[in-house]
Amino acid sequence: MNKYESVMRSRLSPYIAAVCSAGLVIAGVWALAKSEVERNRQQIRTDVLLQLSTKRAKLESALNSRLFITRGLVAYVSNHPNVTPQQFERLAQVMVSEQTGILNIQLAKDNIISHLYPFEGHENALGLNLLEYYTSQNIVRQSIESKRTLVAGPTPLVQGGTALISRTPIFLSSPNSPGEGEYWGLVAIIIDPEVLFTDAKLLPTTKAIATPPGRKPTLPQYRFHTPIPVQYAIRGQDGLGSQGAVFFGDPDLFNRNPVLLDVSLPNGSWQMAAIPLEGWPVSRPIGWLYSLGGFLAFSCGLSTFIWVRKPWEMELAVERATSALQKSQERYAIAVAGANDGIWDWDLNAQEIYFSPRWKSAIGAHPHEIGSNPDEWFSRIHPDDLERVEADIQAHLKGRSPHLQTEYRILHKNGSYLWMLVRGMAVRDADGNPYRFAGSQTDITDRRRAREALRVSQEKFSKAFRASPDAIAITTLEEGRYIEVNDRFLEMSGFEWAEVIGKNSTDLNIWVYEAEQKTCIQELQTCGRVIDREIHFRMKAREIRVGLFCAESIVLEGVPCVVSITRDITERKQYEEKLYHTTSELQAIFKALPDLYFKLDNQAIILNYQAGKVSDLYRPPEEFLGRKITEVLPSNVSQTFIEALNEVKANRDLVYREYALPMNDRLQYFEARLLPLLENQTIVIVRDITSRKQAEIMLYEAKEAAEAANEAKSMFLANMSHELRTPLNAIVGYSEILEEEAEEVGIPDFIPDLKKIQFAGKHLLSLINDILDLSKIEAGKMDIYLETFEVNQAIEAAVATIYPLVQKNGNQLQVNTPPDLGQMYSDLSKVRQVLLNLLSNAAKFTENGTITLEVRLFPDRVFPPNPPPDWIEFQVSDTGIGMTSEQMEQIFNAFTQADPSTTRKYGGTGLGLAITQRFCEMIGGEISVSSELGSGSTFTVRLPYRFQFPANLME
């Protein structure tokens, strides 16, 4: 190399070195800026993805919670195929009350809509054939063929508007194969998509956020919004995923590089797309970073230029400076890369804090809105957290903790509070005194919310786990060992908790049939879940029960597990089997009955029949099946059926009708019973009652003849009683006259015989009077004479009359009455006759005993001046011979006494109590008796205190 080249190299070396060093700095800053822009772009896309994932989860949850109720309807209808509209309405009403946004629930028997709830506003859909309606043909066929729930829509409705429609096929159950029998129809749930999107928070909602208690508003209040406002769109109508039409949001959004996620449906999926509300941000240069890079490049170039100009001693300095610059650049790159967290740097001596732009933007503030005063930080801390944060800071500054780490809430510009995690460490001098305090602040709001949501979810799961009426168990997937079981599991199995945990079903010998266990394991491995599988399980006491088994694979703390739910359906299965046998038995009995059976629709068309033999029918079956009843039966009979059918439709209750038909050359009588079967059908059961009607006619004629004979007998007895009473009165009267004359003429020997004549005549006259009274009652000739009388006087008169008979048998008479019984309005003679009959009976059948007459008022009032009571009760008790229960059943029959032997010993015709009962009934009262053989009897008479004729008699 010549001298000129050496000089030129010496002159150009500082410039080349300066340019190279500045270029290196600029290249590093440019790479760092590009990395920051890309990181921001990825951060925004990640935020959009997180929000989209949340919306998808909410949408799937909102949809599945509404689809889940179809399982209950399918299970009910499969076991009750003849479900009535009232039963369906009650079920649907409960289901709709538990979920919002369900516009309508339908049952489509044989693919024709037959049940609706609610009915109002959806009448146009009733009777619609889903296989003939163009919008539902394909999806109905797919649902039937796949035997699965399919979701269609949003699709237009017959009654107007659009909705999502979930359809599930129903197959009838039998004891051996539940849900696998004959196809019945479909259950459909109409869901309002607006409510679904609202529950998933896809539709915009705004709510003002109040200023926290205890703090004055220092920042202007804004509406709450997410950190990055996002717009959404959904496509995949009818579950076609990315191939389906867009039914929510802007269709053009799918062409703007959106974040995409699939929403799972029973029959496919939807595809959700999301981008920021203002679109993806355009990458802009980071001005402060480029300015800093330019400054560093200039400084580095200038330094290099100065040092390179020096001779050989400057070469070592350049190398050192270059190394220091590279290390500085690496530190700065690391710091900037981690600047997603807010950085703060607190000069404790000057009491100034540097807040990085990221720190300020995290709480919604612009760089110029927050200064360097520490109050800018502490004034925004939630009042409930401020004291704790200050204590944590002081603890670190005073050396009681190696570093600062705490969580607190800080006020956002929009008025809400964000959760922050702050970390920091103090820089200390040689004496250990802090002079600088720096650290970072991380937004953990989503983490706290997720933690709180997880806590709430775990709490709900725990409560549901413990309170579930079904047995729930969590087992490991690999070995099937029990991790946790609820109380219902222990109750159903009979084991203790300690006996179950850590063991598997084989150890506990729970499975009865190995084939059932293998089927469930295979289905779990294939599909990830087991749904409604009937199994047999063995309890600790060796009893075998039947359960409905469900299971699903989950991951708990990284361990594959299985959650299983078992419902004990042993009683239900026993009931179903009993019901099956009972139904078979009833069907056999029904077929063996001699009655005729017909089924009619609402238009009185005969749909079906069943008869013991065809000869029992009025016409051959081919002449009445499918025809109206008015075309088959005579007009008078058919009109009777039409009226009865209308009554059944109106009242939904059993209706009876009788009619006659000329059959087999004679008139035959029939009884028809009409019962509602379904909403549009009626059962008619017809029975031949010709023999009964003939017997009724004969019975009626016999009754008329008996009544005529009884009336003739009563008239004869009444006439004969009058004829006998006249001579008897003469005999009694003349015997009394002869007795007086015998005393006057001094012939005492004739007096006993005359007294016997008087006694016999009076006794015979009493018997004739009783017969006459009974005859009048039976002939309806007994009159009621109402008057007002003193009750005490009537009682005294009856007691005075009966007292000699009481003394004759050595008895004592006790009368217990209130001090003032007042005036009674009734038939005095009949009240007195009732008392005389009861007291005379008590005196006649009691010897050397006690007879008690007790009078009570109801209600118990003492008057005057209180108003009179409603009822008066006379109770006659004795200590006489008493009666048995069989005797008490006959004592009120005419010409009957408790025992024939009493007639011989005590005399009488047995008419007294019969007349007493009839007198009580005539004046609105009643009589009852209680007795015990050998311990006496008690007769109780209750009469109205103010007698009133019944309204029908007054008319």
Side-chain angles (χ1 to χ4, degrees):
M1 181 180 300
N2 55 32
K3 183 178 180 180
Y4 177 78
E5 291 176 346
S6 177
V7 172
M8 290 300 298
R9 180 181 179 183
S10 177
R11 291 180 177 179
L12 295 176
S13 292
Y15 297 96
I16 294 173
V19 170
C20 290
S21 60
L24 289 174
V25 173
I26 292 173
V29 171
W30 177 82
L32 183 62
K34 185 176 180 181
S35 174
E36 180 67 11
V37 170
E38 179 62 21
R39 188 192 62 79
N40 286 336
R41 189 183 69 82
Q42 290 297 331
Q43 179 64 41
I44 293 173
R45 197 168 185 87
T46 301
D47 289 346
V48 173
L49 176 61
L50 289 175
Q51 294 186 54
L52 179 61
S53 177
T54 301
K55 300 298 182 184
R56 179 187 66 173
K58 291 180 179 179
L59 182 59
E60 287 182 341
S61 175
L63 180 61
N64 290 331
S65 64
R66 290 165 174 83
L67 297 181
F68 187 79
I69 66 176
T70 59
R71 297 177 61 184
L73 266 177
V74 170
Y76 184 87
V77 176
S78 65
N79 288 281
H80 303 83
N82 296 324
V83 59
T84 65
Q86 291 80 5
Q87 293 171 335
F88 173 75
E89 182 179 2
R90 289 194 295 268
L91 287 172
Q93 190 173 16
V94 172
M95 294 175 177
V96 170
S97 66
E98 294 178 350
Q99 290 288 352
T100 60
I102 297 180
L103 300 176
N104 194 233
I105 300 180
Q106 303 173 353
L107 284 181
K109 184 176 182 181
D110 296 328
N111 303 318
I112 298 175
I113 297 178
S114 56
H115 297 67
L116 289 170
Y117 181 83
F119 184 76
E120 291 77 13
H122 304 276
E123 299 86 351
N124 294 338
L126 191 64
L128 179 67
N129 191 330
L130 299 178
L131 287 178
E132 296 177 358
Y133 191 54
Y134 70 96
T135 61
S136 61
Q137 298 178 335
N138 295 333
I139 198 157
V140 168
R141 290 194 181 96
Q142 294 175 17
S143 179
I144 297 172
E145 292 173 359
S146 64
K147 297 185 178 182
R148 294 173 55 193
T149 299
L150 300 184
V151 179
T155 186
L157 302 176
V158 176
Q159 59 269 35
T162 59
L164 295 171
I165 305 178
S166 166
R167 293 186 176 91
T168 304
I170 302 174
F171 294 87
L172 299 183
S173 295
S174 64
N176 297 325
S177 57
E180 298 294 331
E182 181 184 358
Y183 171 69
W184 184 91
L186 294 165
V187 58
I189 294 184
I190 316 302
I191 303 171
D192 186 353
E194 294 294 325
V195 175
L196 198 66
F197 298 149
T198 301
D199 287 354
K201 308 298 183 184
L202 290 172
L203 295 178
T205 57
T206 58
K207 181 177 179 182
I209 299 177
T211 303
R215 181 184 292 279
K216 296 182 179 179
T218 58
L219 299 173
Q221 301 294 314
Y222 293 89
R223 296 290 183 183
F224 177 82
H225 58 81
T226 57
I228 301 177
V230 177
Q231 55 180 325
Y232 305 91
I234 306 176
R235 65 184 176 186
Q237 187 173 10
D238 295 335
L240 297 179
S242 61
Q243 304 301 318
V246 178
F247 58 89
F248 178 85
D250 183 5
D252 185 60
L253 189 142
F254 286 90
N255 300 322
R256 298 167 62 185
N257 190 26
V259 177
L260 299 176
L261 285 178
D262 288 337
V263 179
S264 298
L265 299 178
N267 57 315
S269 64
W270 295 336
Q271 190 175 68
M272 294 184 67
I275 66 171
L277 186 62
E278 302 298 332
W280 298 112
V282 179
S283 300
R284 295 184 178 88
I286 305 177
W288 65 270
L289 189 58
Y290 285 170
S291 299
L292 180 60
F295 174 76
L296 289 176
F298 176 77
S299 301
C300 185
L302 182 60
S303 301
T304 303
F305 179 80
I306 294 172
W307 287 101
V308 171
R309 282 177 62 94
K310 295 183 179 181
W312 49 271
E313 58 183 345
M314 295 298 296
E315 186 175 349
L316 181 59
V318 170
E319 291 178 358
R320 292 176 179 175
T322 302
S323 177
L325 180 60
Q326 289 176 349
K327 292 181 181 179
S328 175
Q329 289 174 343
E330 289 174 359
R331 285 195 214 88
Y332 183 75
I334 293 172
V336 173
N340 185 43
D341 298 337
I343 305 300
W344 51 271
D345 189 350
W346 188 356
D347 187 339
L348 298 176
N349 294 328
Q351 282 301 306
E352 290 184 353
I353 298 182
Y354 164 76
F355 299 104
S356 70
R358 183 64 178 173
W359 193 99
K360 298 176 182 179
S361 64
I363 60 174
H366 295 290
H368 64 275
E369 291 179 336
I370 297 180
S372 58
N373 193 311
D375 287 340
E376 298 281 3
W377 184 3
F378 294 104
S379 64
R380 290 175 169 82
I381 297 177
H382 194 284
D384 295 342
D385 301 336
L386 180 58
E387 184 176 352
R388 175 174 53 81
V389 173
E390 290 178 340
D392 291 343
I393 292 175
Q394 291 300 321
H396 174 63
L397 293 179
K398 292 180 179 180
R400 292 197 297 269
S401 60
H403 58 270
L404 171 66
Q405 180 170 326
T406 186
E407 296 179 4
Y408 67 94
R409 287 163 288 180
I410 191 168
L411 183 66
H412 192 273
K413 186 177 181 180
N414 61 15
S416 65
Y417 278 94
L418 302 178
W419 277 96
M420 295 291 181
L421 170 64
V422 62
R423 297 185 181 93
M425 181 175 290
V427 181
R428 304 176 186 274
D429 57 19
D431 297 329
N433 298 319
Y435 64 89
R436 186 178 177 185
F437 193 14
S440 64
Q441 177 172 275
T442 306
D443 186 348
I444 60 169
T445 304
D446 291 339
R447 189 191 311 170
R448 289 284 300 212
R449 290 174 180 169
R451 188 190 309 168
E452 179 64 18
L454 179 60
R455 185 193 65 79
V456 173
S457 176
Q458 290 175 340
E459 183 177 352
K460 290 181 179 178
F461 176 77
S462 177
K463 290 181 179 179
F465 184 82
R466 297 299 175 191
S468 173
D470 300 327
I472 304 177
I474 303 176
T475 59
T476 60
L477 180 62
E478 183 177 356
E479 298 180 348
R481 299 195 179 276
Y482 290 99
I483 299 175
E484 185 59 276
V485 294
N486 67 346
D487 295 338
R488 179 58 179 156
F489 181 95
L490 301 175
E491 179 183 344
M492 282 176 52
S493 64
F495 289 100
E496 298 293 334
W497 187 85
E499 296 176 310
V500 175
I501 301 304
K503 298 181 181 179
N504 56 30
S505 58
T506 303
D507 298 333
L508 301 177
N509 196 23
I510 289 180
W511 289 90
V512 177
Y513 302 115
E514 185 178 354
E516 291 181 350
Q517 183 181 14
K518 289 182 178 179
T519 301
C520 291
I521 293 174
Q522 183 178 2
E523 187 173 345
L524 186 64
Q525 293 173 346
T526 305
C527 306
R529 62 176 59 183
V530 179
I531 299 177
D532 294 343
R533 176 74 64 178
E534 285 192 8
I535 64 167
H536 294 75
F537 63 92
R538 185 182 292 104
M539 300 175 63
K540 182 180 179 180
R542 314 299 295 176
E543 179 185 355
I544 296 177
R545 310 281 291 179
V546 183
L548 194 64
F549 183 76
C550 299
E552 185 154 352
S553 300
I554 61 171
V555 176
L556 293 179
E557 298 180 358
V559 179
C561 297
V562 176
V563 175
S564 61
I565 301 175
T566 307
R567 175 170 297 176
D568 190 341
I569 59 171
T570 306
E571 284 74 16
R572 192 189 81 183
K573 294 294 291 184
Q574 293 172 349
Y575 173 78
E576 289 176 354
E577 185 175 357
K578 186 182 298 184
L579 180 63
Y580 177 77
H581 291 299
T582 303
T583 303
S584 301
E585 182 179 351
L586 289 176
Q587 288 177 350
I589 294 173
F590 180 76
K591 291 180 180 179
L593 289 176
D595 299 335
L596 304 178
Y597 162 87
F598 297 92
K599 187 190 296 183
L600 307 179
D601 66 4
N602 283 345
Q603 284 72 41
I605 296 175
I606 304 174
L607 304 176
N608 196 2
Y609 85 99
Q610 182 172 320
K613 52 184 180 294
V614 177
S615 60
D616 293 337
L617 299 173
Y618 180 66
R619 288 190 180 185
E622 60 271 12
E623 294 185 12
F624 63 77
L625 283 178
R627 299 176 63 185
K628 284 191 175 182
I629 202 168
T630 54
E631 302 173 5
V632 177
L633 298 176
S635 59
N636 60 330
V637 178
S638 61
Q639 185 62 32
T640 299
F641 272 99
I642 295 298
E643 293 174 357
L645 191 61
N646 292 334
E647 187 175 343
V648 169
K649 289 191 290 186
N651 301 330
R652 305 298 298 172
D653 201 359
L654 177 66
V655 174
Y656 294 88
R657 287 292 187 275
E658 292 184 2
Y659 62 94
L661 279 175
M663 293 178 62
N664 303 323
D665 300 327
R666 65 190 180 97
L667 191 64
Q668 292 184 228
Y669 294 89
F670 298 92
E671 176 191 74
R673 300 185 180 190
L674 292 84
L675 302 93
L677 178 60
L678 296 175
E679 185 176 0
N680 56 352
Q681 292 182 4
T682 301
I683 288 179
V684 182
I685 301 175
V686 178
R687 173 170 293 180
D688 189 339
I689 60 171
T690 304
S691 300
R692 191 186 79 187
K693 291 297 273 187
Q694 291 173 349
E696 288 178 356
I697 293 172
M698 295 173 63
L699 181 62
Y700 177 76
E701 293 173 351
K703 172 180 170 293
E704 291 292 323
E707 289 179 350
N710 186 54
E711 186 175 355
K713 181 260 301 182
S714 298
M715 294 297 296
F716 171 76
L717 289 175
N719 293 333
M720 288 302 297
S721 297
H722 283 291
E723 295 297 329
L724 292 173
R725 188 159 49 183
T726 301
L728 283 174
N729 285 330
I731 292 171
V732 172
Y734 280 117
S735 65
E736 290 176 350
I737 293 173
L738 290 174
E739 182 183 354
E740 292 176 357
E741 290 179 352
E743 290 178 352
E744 290 176 358
V745 299
I747 311 176
D749 294 338
F750 291 105
I751 292 176
D753 294 330
L754 292 173
K755 285 186 177 291
K756 290 179 180 178
I757 293 173
Q758 293 176 26
F759 177 78
K762 289 180 180 180
H763 180 64
L764 185 57
L765 184 61
S766 174
L767 296 178
I768 293 173
N769 286 334
D770 288 344
I771 294 173
L772 179 60
D773 288 342
L774 185 62
S775 300
K776 283 184 178 181
I777 293 171
E778 291 181 348
K781 304 297 184 181
M782 179 64 71
D783 296 326
I784 298 176
Y785 300 96
L786 298 176
E787 59 182 305
T788 301
F789 58 89
E790 293 287 342
V791 180
N792 283 328
Q793 293 179 4
I795 295 173
E796 291 172 0
V799 169
T801 303
I802 205 66
Y803 196 73
L805 181 59
V806 174
Q807 287 184 322
K808 178 182 177 181
N809 288 341
N811 296 316
Q812 294 183 353
L813 177 62
Q814 297 180 358
V815 180
N816 302 324
T817 63
D820 189 357
L821 290 173
Q823 294 182 334
M824 183 176 176
Y825 181 68
S826 188
D827 190 324
L828 174 60
S829 63
K830 291 179 175 55
V831 173
R832 186 166 51 230
Q833 186 66 37
V834 168
L835 292 177
L836 287 173
N837 287 346
L838 296 179
L839 290 171
S840 64
N841 271 357
K844 181 167 61 174
F845 295 107
T846 305
E847 294 182 1
N848 300 319
T850 302
I851 299 170
T852 304
L853 170 62
E854 187 169 356
V855 184
R856 290 192 291 266
L857 301 175
F858 296 93
D860 188 6
R861 294 171 178 154
V862 179
F863 57 91
N866 293 333
D870 298 326
W871 298 88
I872 185 169
E873 183 178 279
F874 302 96
Q875 190 175 83
V876 178
S877 303
D878 62 63
T879 59
I881 61 175
M883 294 177 287
T884 65
S885 58
E886 292 79 7
Q887 292 171 341
M888 285 190 289
E889 292 178 357
Q890 301 179 7
I891 59 173
F892 293 114
N893 297 331
F895 304 103
T896 302
Q897 286 190 334
D899 191 333
S901 62
T902 61
T903 305
R904 295 188 296 270
K905 183 176 181 180
Y906 298 101
T909 61
L911 294 177
L913 288 177
I915 293 174
T916 299
Q917 184 189 49
R918 287 162 175 77
F919 278 177
C920 290
E921 293 173 350
M922 289 179 66
I923 57 179
E926 61 181 4
I927 183 172
S928 60
V929 61
S930 62
S931 179
E932 185 177 349
L933 189 64
S935 300
S937 304
T938 299
F939 288 85
T940 303
V941 173
R942 176 173 286 200
L943 302 174
Y945 203 81
R946 291 283 186 267
F947 177 78
Q948 291 183 347
F949 283 103
N952 57 346
L953 295 180
M954 295 297 292
E955 295 175 357

